[in-house]
Amino acid sequence: MRDGEAMLKPHLLRMEEPGMTEEWSRVRARLQAEVGDVEYRTWLKQVVFAGIAGDEVTVVLPTRFLRDWVNKEYGALLAALWQEENPAIRRVEFRTAAAARGAAPDLAEPTPALAVPAPTPARTENAAALDQRFTFETFVVGKPNEFAYACARRVAESPATAGFNPLFLYGGVGLGKTHLMHAIAWELSAKRGGQPVSVAYMSAEKFMYRFINALRSQSTLEFKNELRSVDVLMIDDLQFLIGKDNTQEEFFHTFNALVDAGKQIVISADKSPSDLSGLEDRLRTRLGCGMVADLHATTFELRYSILDAKAQRAGVEVPAKVIEFLARKITSNNRELEGALNRLVAHANLFNRNLTMETAHEVLHDVLKAHDRKVSIQEIQKRVSEHFNIRIAEMSSARRARNIARPRQVAMYLAKQLTSKSLPDIGRHFGDRDHTTVMHAVSRVTELIGTDAAFAEDVDLLRRMLET
C-alpha cells in the first residue's frame, strides 16, 4: 500500500477479505478523477483506507485538521463513491492516526460517521451519487453560465415543461455542468407537498455498465422498467456513449419512452448535440429538440466571485489581492481554481502562516508554471473582433474603412506583443499582408496609446483579458 498505509494496524476492522484493497483503489481513482489532480494531491492523497466493519468504511488521516477538512469538504462524495462501488457500504468514518516511530496509530478519536443519503420517496437509490455541496445556493452565477443556470432552475421548478425537455447542458471540464445537475436533483428531492418526484442520476458510464450487467444476467426487462418508471432521468457526460452502439440504442429507446410519457430528461456533455460526432443521427436530433444551454469559459469576474464565495463558506480570510491573483492566473476550470485555493488555505493552517502573495507564489509554483499563458493569434483576433463588434473575417479582409482597419491594427499590435511570431508570420494571419504593414500597425497603435487615453485603456483591457 502507498502513503504510509503499511504502518496502519486498524482495530476491529476487516481487511482480509479478497477485493477490499482493489475496491479502495477503484474508489480512490474515481475520487481523483472527480476532484482533479491538484485538489487530490493537496487534500486526498493522504487518506488511508483502514478497513470495513459491517456497513461502515473507516479511513484515516494524519492530523485532526486534515481529518475535519476532508470530512467536511469531501465526505459526501467519498461516501457516494464507496456506495457505488460496494452497495453494502452505508457509512464512512474519518479518524486520525498518530503514528510515531512505527507505533500503532491512535484510532480513538473518530469524527461522526457520514452516512450515505438513504433513499426517500423523492429520489431513487442513485441519490447516493449526489454531492451535498452542489446546490443552487452554492452555484456562483456570472455571464458565462447565467443562461444554463436559469434553464436548470426552470426545470427544477417545473419538470417536463414544453421547450425544456430534454435539457442539454454542455461545456468544458470544471465549468459547472455536474453542479447544476446535482442542484436540480436536490431541489426536486426537497420539494414538499403534492406527488413525490423520483429522480435517477448517473453517469453515462454507469448507464452502460448497468445495461451490460442486465444483459449478462438476463434482467434487461427489470433494467428497462426501473429507468422508465422515474419522473426525471439525468445522465452525466453523455460523450462516453460515443462508439457504444448497443448502449446508444438502449438509451435512445429509454429517452423516447420517458419523453412520450411526459417525464423530464437532463443530459450533460462536453459538446453540443450537433458536435457529438459518433452518436447516431436520430439520437443527436432528439437531444437537440429541447433546450440546449452551454456553459462558457469563466471570466475573471466569475472566477473572482467563485473564490470569494468559497473562502467565505470556509470561514477563511483571504486577501483580495491573493484572490485576484489566482483568478487571473488559473483560467482552465473551476475545479483547479478551487483546488489551488484549498492548497493555499491548507498550507496556511498547517504552518500557521498568513496568506500573502509570496505564499501563493511559493505554494503554487507548479500550478502557476502550468498556467503560463501562450496566446495564439487566432485568439487575439477573436477577442479583438468581439471587443470592437466586427466580424472575425474582417481581420483578413481587404477593407480599409477605419472601423475595420483600426481593430485590425490593434490585433497586429497585440500579436507582436503577446506572441513570439515574426512579423511575416503575423502578416500571413491577416490575409497574407506584408511585414511592413504589420510594422506600420504596431507603430500606429503605439503612437495612439501615447496620445489617446480612451484608446490606450481599450488596448490595455484587451491585453489583460488575453493574458489572464
Side-chain angles (χ1 to χ4, degrees):
M1 291 181 248
R2 296 181 300 174
D3 307 324
E5 290 182 42
M7 297 174 62
L8 293 175
K9 300 176 182 178
H11 305 290
L12 303 178
L13 299 173
R14 296 186 291 108
M15 292 192 67
E16 70 280 3
E17 289 188 9
M20 283 187 181
T21 54
E22 287 80 2
E23 284 183 5
W24 168 237
S25 296
R26 290 192 292 270
V27 168
R28 187 154 68 172
R30 289 194 60 193
L31 185 63
Q32 184 172 359
E34 286 281 343
V35 304
D37 291 341
V38 172
E39 199 164 339
Y40 178 82
R41 288 196 306 269
T42 303
W43 296 105
L44 300 168
K45 188 176 181 181
Q46 298 182 74
V47 177
V48 176
F49 172 53
I52 298 176
D55 63 354
E56 184 174 279
V57 168
T58 296
V59 295
V60 175
L61 290 111
T63 67
R64 291 186 184 183
F65 170 77
L66 279 175
R67 176 199 66 186
D68 293 343
W69 181 272
V70 171
N71 186 27
K72 175 185 174 185
E73 296 293 323
Y74 306 99
L77 175 59
L78 184 57
L81 293 176
W82 259 112
Q83 207 274 335
E84 283 195 12
E85 179 65 35
N86 184 346
I89 299 303
R90 303 303 306 170
R91 299 160 66 82
V92 175
E93 184 174 335
F94 295 80
R95 297 188 180 187
T96 58
R101 296 181 182 176
D106 176 12
L107 299 179
E109 296 183 277
T111 57
L114 182 78
V116 176
T120 71
R123 57 188 189 273
T124 71
E125 72 276 7
N126 298 296
L130 298 177
D131 192 321
Q132 294 176 340
R133 298 171 301 168
F134 292 166
T135 65
F136 284 122
E137 288 67 31
T138 60
F139 189 86
V140 180
V141 184
K143 282 192 175 298
N145 60 30
E146 60 184 1
F147 179 66
Y149 173 83
C151 292
R153 274 286 194 186
R154 176 67 178 273
V155 167
E157 292 166 2
S158 182
T161 300
F164 287 82
N165 195 20
L167 171 61
F168 191 102
L169 303 171
Y170 76 94
V173 174
L175 297 183
K177 304 184 299 295
T178 298
H179 190 142
L180 286 177
M181 294 182 78
H182 287 216
I184 292 171
W186 286 124
E187 189 77 7
L188 290 170
S189 69
K191 289 183 180 298
R192 298 291 182 264
Q195 294 297 316
V197 179
S198 59
V199 181
Y201 167 88
M202 68 188 72
S203 66
E205 181 182 16
K206 185 65 176 290
F207 180 92
M208 185 190 75
Y209 286 153
R210 290 186 60 184
F211 175 56
I212 291 173
N213 287 336
L215 289 174
R216 288 174 177 168
S217 61
Q218 298 183 341
S219 58
T220 53
L221 183 59
E222 290 85 344
F223 174 76
K224 295 173 187 286
N225 289 339
E226 179 187 352
L227 288 186
R228 298 179 191 188
S229 65
V230 301
D231 297 309
V232 181
L233 175 63
M234 312 180 82
I235 303 293
D236 208 352
D237 290 326
L238 188 74
Q239 70 273 4
F240 187 82
L241 296 189
I242 290 176
K244 314 296 193 303
D245 294 342
N246 291 336
T247 308
Q248 283 188 42
E249 178 83 14
E250 178 58 32
F251 176 70
F252 178 75
H253 293 306
T254 299
F255 181 104
N256 285 337
L258 287 169
V259 171
D260 291 345
K263 307 298 180 65
Q264 176 71 49
I265 293 180
V266 182
I267 307 292
S268 83
D270 59 351
K271 298 176 182 177
S272 68
S274 59
D275 291 330
L276 283 174
S277 57
L279 288 185
E280 292 183 10
D281 288 341
R282 59 177 181 170
L283 179 54
R284 284 193 288 128
T285 300
R286 291 305 304 266
L287 291 172
C289 70
M291 180 59 65
V292 177
D294 63 331
L295 292 90
H296 300 290
T298 54
T299 60
F300 163 74
E301 291 78 13
L302 181 55
R303 292 192 295 274
Y304 189 101
S305 298
I306 289 170
L307 289 172
D308 188 46
K310 186 169 182 64
Q312 289 185 31
R313 287 199 300 271
V316 178
E317 186 173 344
V318 182
K321 61 182 179 181
V322 173
I323 292 181
E324 180 179 353
F325 174 70
L326 294 180
R328 290 197 183 281
K329 293 295 290 184
I330 303 177
T331 60
S332 55
N333 63 69
N334 298 342
R335 291 178 192 166
E336 199 158 2
L337 186 67
E338 294 182 20
L341 179 63
N342 289 341
R343 189 167 166 182
L344 266 184
V345 170
H347 184 88
N349 284 326
L350 290 171
F351 296 98
N352 195 27
R353 295 178 62 183
N354 292 327
L355 285 174
T356 64
M357 288 293 294
E358 182 181 359
T359 304
H361 279 283
E362 176 187 336
V363 175
L364 302 174
H365 65 279
D366 58 326
V367 178
L368 298 176
K369 183 179 179 181
H371 283 270
D372 285 342
R373 290 284 282 139
K374 292 180 176 60
V375 184
S376 69
I377 293 179
Q378 291 86 350
E379 187 177 0
I380 292 170
Q381 291 175 332
K382 180 175 182 294
R383 186 74 67 149
V384 172
S385 298
E386 291 173 349
H387 182 79
F388 287 101
N389 196 28
I390 65 172
R391 294 184 299 113
I392 194 169
E394 300 293 3
M395 289 290 166
S396 302
S397 75
R399 294 183 61 190
R400 296 186 178 183
R402 184 175 179 180
N403 67 316
I404 302 297
R406 185 70 76 231
R408 187 189 298 136
Q409 289 178 329
V410 169
M412 291 180 183
Y413 169 86
L414 290 171
K416 179 66 172 65
Q417 299 298 317
L418 301 178
T419 77
S420 58
K421 299 292 185 182
S422 66
L423 295 179
D425 281 342
I426 294 173
R428 279 191 286 272
H429 282 82
F430 289 83
D432 286 327
R433 283 177 163 80
D434 188 82
H435 73 281
T436 57
T437 304
V438 181
M439 289 177 61
H440 173 73
V442 172
S443 175
R444 182 60 179 147
V445 170
T446 302
E447 178 186 341
L448 286 170
I449 287 174
T451 59
D452 187 331
F455 180 79
E457 187 176 337
D458 265 357
V459 175
D460 183 59
L461 173 63
L462 283 164
R463 176 199 284 271
R464 286 189 282 111
M465 290 169 66
L466 286 161
E467 287 179 332
T468 58

